[in-house]
Amino acid sequence: MSWDTELTAVTSRIADRLFKRPEPKATFGDLVRGLLADVPRKNSWQLADHVGHPTANLIEWLPARAKWDADALCDDVRAYVVEHLGSTDGVLIADDTQAIKKGDRSVGVARQYCGLTGQVENCQVMPMLTYASAVGHAFINRRLYLPEKWAGDAERRKVAGVPERVTFATRPQQVIDMLEEERRAGTLFRYLAADSGYGRDPGLRAYCHTHQIGYVMAVAVDLPLLDVRGGGEPAGHVLDRLLAHAGPGLWERRSCGEGTKGRRAYDWAAVAVALAGQFPSDGHAHTLLIRRSVTDPDDVEFFLSHALTGTPVTELITVAGLRWKIEENNETGKDLLGLTDYRIRKWDGWHRHVTTAMLALAFLAVSRADLDDQTIPEPVPLAADQGKDPRHRESLS
């Protein structure tokens, strides 16, 4: 089936569930097609021009003023991604992306930290959830962060169309809410990966412990751990102690996956730890992974894992490396698919636009996976490896 035919089939099938009338069905298909097209800027006028609309009216009307359910579309995106990319070893990856905006009328916009520039900007913050497997990766869930000033301003909420049910929630709590949705939807996944902004949150870790969810999350150097005598110590002290006793033999060089410039190799160390005030799930254990740059020994990052007892450290390193897949999704979504190219100020419009861009990214990921499957033959296992679980072939000493 050709790329164009498959895209039409996917958008038509989803549009049939979202809309009753033919006009929004057709416009929805045109919008997704435009987001996937080679259009310099994915604003309404350029999208309309590309798909052959005489004006931008329909392209602007569909997300902003038409009546349809963005959460139903999100359910369809999830189902599509899991159907084509799903695996029992799948990893959910949480991270924020930002949309820099002018003015103060766009829903959720405020002067707040922007990871895109590394400083405080007038922006919207969008916690996103990516699904990643060996086959591919794409967004499957999203949230718009509503700062406390927004959440408590009744007039501002009314103008932006924020539903009454929406209350202030921290970004880690929003990730917990998305994880709960994935659990209820039956999404196949084995681990959660995230950066230190999420890894340092005890509530998110506690949720994972309660529901036996494995994770590998970056954590701060001051993460509170228990020492051998039952007292407290920060994660950084663990590294100091290891360096004092193990010396150069502490490190083992491993790759944590492919990056844009080739394989990403680092020096790694791993040690079993106990987390102050929190216990792992039954049958699980905590491990502190320490990653050091090959070229800059002072560049060290810590990861806390929660995994089944006996899990090879190499598996945890692989999960830590998968965290960067959501960065790729953020870049592709913004640079190619118009994820943040919108002039929409209200709650419903934001969710509709972002979720439609998620569908475009999902289609791109599935198409790429299908192409790889057609052109790259499956590896033939060596005779000595047949019948073995590849996850248990090696582990750090």
Side-chain angles (χ1 to χ4, degrees):
M1 186 181 295
S2 70
W3 184 93
D4 185 74
T5 302
E6 179 63 20
L7 177 60
T8 300
V10 170
T11 56
S12 296
R13 183 171 66 248
I14 292 175
D16 284 342
R17 291 194 287 269
L18 292 177
F19 309 104
K20 294 181 179 179
R21 295 179 56 81
E23 294 86 353
K25 292 181 182 180
T27 303
F28 178 78
D30 288 343
L31 178 56
V32 178
R33 187 176 301 275
L35 292 174
L36 285 162
D38 185 15
V39 178
R41 290 193 62 194
K42 301 298 171 74
N43 58 44
S44 58
W45 282 99
Q46 292 197 31
L47 292 176
D49 182 66
H50 177 81
V51 298
H53 291 197
T55 72
N57 290 349
L58 288 176
I59 296 294
E60 293 177 350
W61 165 79
L62 187 73
R65 297 184 298 279
K67 293 184 178 181
W68 55 286
D69 188 351
D71 288 340
L73 174 57
C74 193
D75 291 342
D76 283 331
V77 171
R78 173 192 299 113
Y80 178 65
V81 170
V82 173
E83 176 187 358
H84 293 275
L85 308 181
S87 166
T88 54
D89 288 336
V91 176
L92 293 178
I93 312 165
D95 196 12
D96 299 341
T97 192
Q98 297 83 28
I100 298 176
K101 295 294 176 182
K102 296 180 180 179
D104 60 359
R105 296 176 63 187
S106 296
V107 61
V109 71
R111 288 193 59 77
Q112 50 195 327
Y113 178 77
C114 177
L116 187 65
T117 63
Q119 58 189 19
V120 173
E121 304 278 1
N122 197 61
C123 65
Q124 294 167 310
V125 175
M126 306 148 56
M128 306 292 289
L129 202 64
T130 276
Y131 185 91
S133 70
V135 184
H137 51 94
F139 292 130
I140 61 168
N141 215 327
R142 74 286 183 260
R143 286 294 189 273
L144 175 62
Y145 175 66
L146 207 62
E148 285 189 84
K149 288 185 178 180
W150 260 95
D153 190 330
E155 182 59 29
R156 209 177 188 190
R157 290 172 58 105
K158 181 179 179 180
V159 172
V162 179
E164 290 185 6
R165 58 179 170 77
V166 176
T167 58
F168 172 74
T170 64
R171 293 190 289 277
Q173 181 59 53
Q174 289 182 308
V175 169
I176 291 173
D177 293 342
M178 288 191 283
L179 286 175
E180 184 65 20
E181 288 179 4
E182 300 313 316
R183 290 182 60 249
R184 291 177 179 175
T187 302
L188 293 170
F189 72 99
R190 187 170 180 179
Y191 289 101
L192 169 70
D195 67 11
S196 59
Y198 292 106
R200 71 185 307 137
D201 186 78
L204 177 56
R205 297 196 304 263
Y207 177 87
C208 293
H209 301 157
T210 298
H211 296 285
Q212 297 190 324
I213 295 173
Y215 61 72
V216 180
M217 296 191 284
V219 291
V221 67
D222 60 353
L223 176 76
L225 302 173
L226 295 178
D227 62 24
V228 292
R229 296 180 297 276
E233 68 171 346
H237 285 189
V238 175
L239 175 58
D240 294 339
R241 189 171 64 253
L242 290 173
L243 288 172
H245 291 86
L250 166 67
W251 304 103
E252 190 165 332
R253 191 155 298 175
R254 296 282 177 176
S255 168
C256 59
E258 294 287 342
T260 56
K261 299 180 180 179
R263 296 189 70 80
R264 298 197 308 273
Y266 294 91
D267 291 332
W268 293 85
V271 59
V273 294
L275 196 59
Q278 290 190 316
F279 297 97
S281 307
D282 289 343
H284 290 64
H286 285 124
T287 301
L288 185 69
L289 302 175
I290 308 170
R291 190 188 75 185
R292 186 181 70 172
S293 169
V294 173
T295 58
D296 181 4
D298 292 329
D299 182 6
V300 175
E301 187 167 6
F302 296 84
F303 297 82
L304 180 69
S305 77
H306 174 251
L308 289 169
T309 303
T311 298
V313 174
T314 47
E315 179 173 307
L316 305 178
I317 290 173
T318 298
V319 177
L322 282 173
R323 190 189 74 181
W324 296 104
K325 296 300 183 183
I326 197 168
E327 296 286 348
E328 295 177 18
N329 288 162
N330 284 332
E331 291 178 8
T332 301
K334 289 181 176 181
D335 296 345
L336 300 180
L337 304 174
L339 179 68
T340 56
D341 286 348
Y342 52 82
R343 299 181 65 182
I344 295 171
R345 292 174 172 167
K346 294 193 175 184
W347 179 269
D348 285 346
W350 183 90
H351 285 81
R352 291 166 182 168
H353 173 88
V354 168
T355 314
T356 304
M358 287 169 52
L359 175 60
L361 178 65
F363 180 80
L364 201 63
V366 170
S367 298
R368 183 179 294 133
D370 288 344
L371 182 63
D372 289 345
D373 187 53
Q374 293 170 17
T375 57
I376 301 177
E378 288 293 319
V380 178
L382 297 176
D385 289 334
Q386 289 181 352
K388 293 184 179 180
D389 186 339
R391 292 173 298 178
H392 296 276
R393 288 181 192 156
E394 57 181 354
S395 62
L396 291 181
S397 56

